[in-house]
Amino acid sequence: MPIKPIRRPVVSSTTGRPTDDRDAGRPNDLPSHRSAAAAAGDRRAAEPSRHRAAGGGTGPHERRPAERAPQQRAPHERGLSGSDRSRPVLAADRPTGLYLSCAAGVESLLAAEAHRILGPALTVTESRGGIEIQTGPDARTPAAIRAALIDAAMRLNLESRLAQRVLWRVASRVYRHEDDIYTLGRDVNWSDWITPQHTLRVDVTTRRSTLRSLNFAALRIKDAVCDDLRERTGERPNVDTRHPDLSLVLYMDDLEATLYVDTSGEALFKRGWREDTGEAPLKETLAAAMLAAADWQGRPEDGALLDPCCGAGTIPIEAAQIACDIAPGLQRRFAFERLLPFRAHQAAWQALRQAARARQRAPRVPIFAGDVSFRMTDFATRNAERAGVRHAIDFKTADALQRPVPCERGVLMFNPPYGERIDTKGSVRDAYRARSGAQEGDDFDRGQPATSRAGREQFEGDEAATFFQRLSSHWKKHYTGWTAWILSPDMKLPGAMRLKESRRTVLFNGPIECRLFRFDLVAGSMKRPAATEPSAADPAQPGDADR
């Protein structure tokens, strides 16, 4: 039996938008018996259908659907067939806007941050893996829209702690093959963005794309930019894959291709102060997400913050910058500073930077940090000096299992270390042998180099169980009244610590799915009283020992 080929949508060669077969030859790809305004309303109303057809996933330009009850159908939808109402809404159907990418699970936190930075003048919409920002009704002309987006892009790059990049959507269309990708690139007047003396780079990210070669798709965008500038100026720009002036991001799903201008350049987690990283450094954006999920903002009512296993110091440094109100992008440069649309706004950009410097203040709460390794504590101290917050952090080399409580109440927050950093005073050879009851002749004495077990991925099994049991026991004895937040990929961490979490938040550390556990520390045990002889009517339930 022959296999039925996948039916691709009929695409207008003029607009790049899909249409029904019966309407393929009609002007503007709209049914002849309906007005353009009604068809535009159908495209807006059909957005939920597109998400369902795509399997529930969303790309950078896809918004979460808002369900509408059938009886509340808009007037222009009444009397229309189901196929008319299910026409997909494309990014090209929406006004131009910005897209801020972030780690999965951080979208709502990033939306709240964007509202705080931008105020109510712009519209913020959550999507999977980021948020979209569009201008409000006050910006009606193209010049006003562009000015509003330029101001928003500058503010977000300077102030956002959670976003990974700030992208400007410049073109979008339905595609079937590589020639459509070239047409997408030619839809933009690139002389408005760069000159032939600038350099460029094209990155491609996809989700279920039908194209065979992503490198060729990137090449087609590069050709489109170069051809456009050659026709307008007689010259073409060069490619620089390391430090380009114009960085483009092409996103493709199974139906639509969208082209973005990257206004950030390097990823925003690179704050400009890190040189010494240590083992497996935590990204600054993830550390900021942990603090935002805990609603710790450096206010007096938030209490002190302690990271007993600080490593390179990412969490305490990020917390200190929040407490001192230091803008995260104040120590770095951005790609938009070299783009033509932003040149007329250099005075406004310098005013934003000056205002960010002027508002810095002394911290209102103490921040404590340290590590069992002298080397890691020294790394963290030097990083704090470069970040401008050395005065706001009290560093101390100490074992997390023995560190005394620094004050009456506060917040414990850390990313549990594995291997070298939980060892005694930085020594790797004796890594928790005494604490875990290891016998002589184990792997530490078989000629293995000391660094073979260094690294977070090596701390597992009995060592991890022993460490977390002793840590929770130390906390319950000495940190009563504190709140602990632990980021871990181990879903059984509460059971290993003999603690009951009061909350868990899904966060992703790169591709690794993690949980941010919250523990409200109290003295003693939270176990239920055990009966001497459990009866058949009241059998013991699994997990009771961990409650």
Side-chain angles (χ1 to χ4, degrees):
M1 180 178 179
I3 299 176
K4 184 178 180 180
I6 299 176
R7 181 179 181 273
R8 299 294 298 173
V10 178
V11 180
S12 167
S13 60
T14 304
T15 65
R17 301 181 183 178
T19 181
D20 296 333
D21 291 342
R22 63 181 184 275
D23 299 321
R26 290 176 179 164
N28 298 326
D29 296 325
L30 296 176
S32 59
H33 64 280
R34 300 169 59 218
S35 67
D42 289 344
R43 289 194 297 270
R44 290 191 299 269
E47 184 175 356
S49 301
R50 177 173 184 228
H51 288 266
R52 289 191 292 270
T58 56
H61 51 280
E62 299 174 10
R63 296 179 292 178
R64 290 178 178 171
E67 298 295 338
R68 178 189 293 173
Q71 63 271 21
Q72 296 177 347
R73 187 178 301 165
H76 62 266
E77 293 177 317
R78 296 168 187 164
L80 300 180
S81 64
S83 61
D84 289 332
R85 288 195 302 269
S86 61
R87 176 174 295 171
V89 171
L90 308 179
D93 295 320
R94 302 195 298 272
T96 184
L98 304 177
Y99 179 79
L100 278 66
S101 60
C102 67
V106 185
E107 296 90 346
S108 60
L109 299 174
L110 178 57
E113 180 188 60
H115 278 297
R116 177 181 57 81
I117 295 173
L118 302 176
L122 284 82
T123 302
V124 179
T125 306
E126 293 183 35
S127 67
R128 183 179 180 182
I131 63 171
E132 261 201 15
I133 294 177
Q134 295 177 353
T135 56
D138 294 337
R140 299 181 180 180
T141 64
I145 292 174
R146 169 168 286 203
L149 292 181
I150 288 175
D151 180 73
M154 293 190 299
R155 291 180 183 274
L156 291 167
N157 276 294
L158 179 64
E159 301 287 354
S160 178
R161 296 188 176 276
L162 303 176
Q164 295 176 345
R165 294 182 184 275
V166 179
L167 307 177
W168 186 314
R169 187 177 68 247
V170 293
S172 181
R173 66 179 286 123
V174 170
Y175 73 98
R176 289 177 294 179
H177 42 70
E178 287 82 358
D179 290 342
D180 296 324
I181 302 300
Y182 178 83
T183 304
L184 171 70
R186 292 303 301 267
D187 288 342
V188 182
N189 182 355
W190 292 109
S191 63
D192 290 342
W193 289 90
I194 59 173
T195 68
Q197 286 69 45
H198 286 85
T199 57
L200 75 147
R201 180 184 68 192
V202 182
D203 297 305
V204 181
T205 179
T206 66
R207 184 177 183 271
R208 298 200 302 258
S209 173
T210 58
L211 298 184
R212 293 184 177 181
S213 174
L214 302 184
N215 290 333
F216 188 64
L219 182 64
R220 296 302 283 160
I221 292 294
K222 185 269 296 181
D223 291 342
V225 176
C226 293
D227 292 347
D228 180 80
L229 284 174
R230 184 186 291 112
E231 291 179 4
R232 297 178 187 274
T233 66
E235 299 179 78
R236 54 155 288 172
N238 292 322
V239 174
D240 186 347
T241 58
R242 297 188 62 186
H243 305 289
D245 298 308
L246 174 66
S247 181
L248 300 176
V249 178
L250 173 65
Y251 172 81
M252 297 183 293
D253 59 18
D254 59 345
L255 178 66
E256 186 183 17
T258 306
L259 187 60
Y260 298 90
V261 171
D262 182 3
T263 66
S264 300
E266 288 189 314
L268 292 181
F269 74 84
K270 297 181 179 181
R271 310 289 203 221
W273 52 260
R274 184 187 293 277
E275 291 183 10
D276 298 315
T277 60
E279 286 77 17
L282 191 71
K283 286 186 177 179
E284 287 78 355
T285 48
L286 182 56
M290 294 170 63
L291 294 165
D295 196 26
W296 193 94
Q297 302 178 31
R299 301 164 299 191
E301 58 269 25
D302 294 333
L305 185 132
L306 166 62
D307 184 354
C309 304
C310 68
T314 307
I315 293 177
I317 290 174
E318 199 70 20
Q321 287 199 335
I322 293 173
C324 297
D325 204 4
I326 298 176
L330 201 55
Q331 295 182 247
R332 55 162 287 171
R333 304 297 296 270
F334 299 96
F336 70 79
E337 298 180 60
R338 301 188 296 272
L339 299 178
L340 298 183
F342 292 84
R343 286 188 174 179
H345 300 264
Q346 285 301 311
W349 170 238
Q350 295 303 324
L352 288 175
R353 290 172 56 88
Q354 184 60 34
R357 293 190 186 96
R359 73 167 190 252
Q360 296 179 15
R361 62 172 184 262
R364 294 178 288 178
V365 293
I367 298 173
F368 305 95
D371 204 282
V372 74
S373 166
F374 284 114
R375 182 170 61 90
M376 296 306 299
T377 305
D378 185 56
F379 279 171
T381 302
R382 293 203 300 267
N383 283 333
E385 289 176 353
R386 282 187 289 270
V389 293
R390 176 63 185 88
H391 66 284
I393 306 174
D394 183 3
F395 285 103
K396 179 181 179 182
T397 300
D399 190 341
L401 303 183
Q402 301 174 3
R403 180 161 185 155
V405 60
C407 56
E408 183 178 355
R409 71 175 186 92
V411 174
L412 286 155
M413 181 168 293
F414 75 116
N415 183 27
Y418 311 103
E420 177 179 350
R421 278 169 44 205
I422 56 120
D423 198 9
T424 309
K425 296 298 181 186
S427 169
V428 180
R429 186 180 61 84
D430 296 328
Y432 269 88
R433 184 194 308 179
R435 294 171 185 161
S436 60
Q439 301 295 324
E440 293 186 2
D442 60 9
D443 290 341
F444 297 109
D445 296 325
R446 292 176 184 170
Q448 297 289 339
T451 57
S452 65
R453 290 182 57 87
R456 307 175 74 86
E457 70 280 358
Q458 300 293 338
F459 182 51
E460 55 187 9
D462 294 339
E463 288 182 7
T466 301
F467 173 73
F468 286 120
Q469 288 174 13
R470 292 173 62 89
L471 183 65
S472 63
S473 177
H474 176 66
W475 283 355
K476 286 188 289 186
K477 289 180 181 178
H478 302 284
Y479 287 81
T480 302
W482 282 59
T483 302
W485 296 82
I486 303 179
L487 181 70
S488 174
D490 185 5
M491 307 304 167
K492 299 180 180 179
L493 179 65
M497 299 190 68
R498 300 295 191 265
L499 293 173
K500 178 63 177 178
E501 77 277 14
S502 58
R503 189 172 127 197
R504 58 172 65 190
T505 304
V506 179
L507 292 176
F508 278 78
N509 188 358
I512 304 173
E513 181 177 353
C514 300
R515 295 293 184 273
L516 180 63
F517 296 98
R518 169 177 171 165
F519 302 102
D520 299 315
L521 302 178
V522 297
S525 174
M526 297 184 68
K527 298 180 182 179
R528 291 183 178 180
T532 55
E533 293 184 2
S535 62
D538 186 22
Q541 298 296 324
D544 281 350
D546 298 335
R547 295 179 182 174

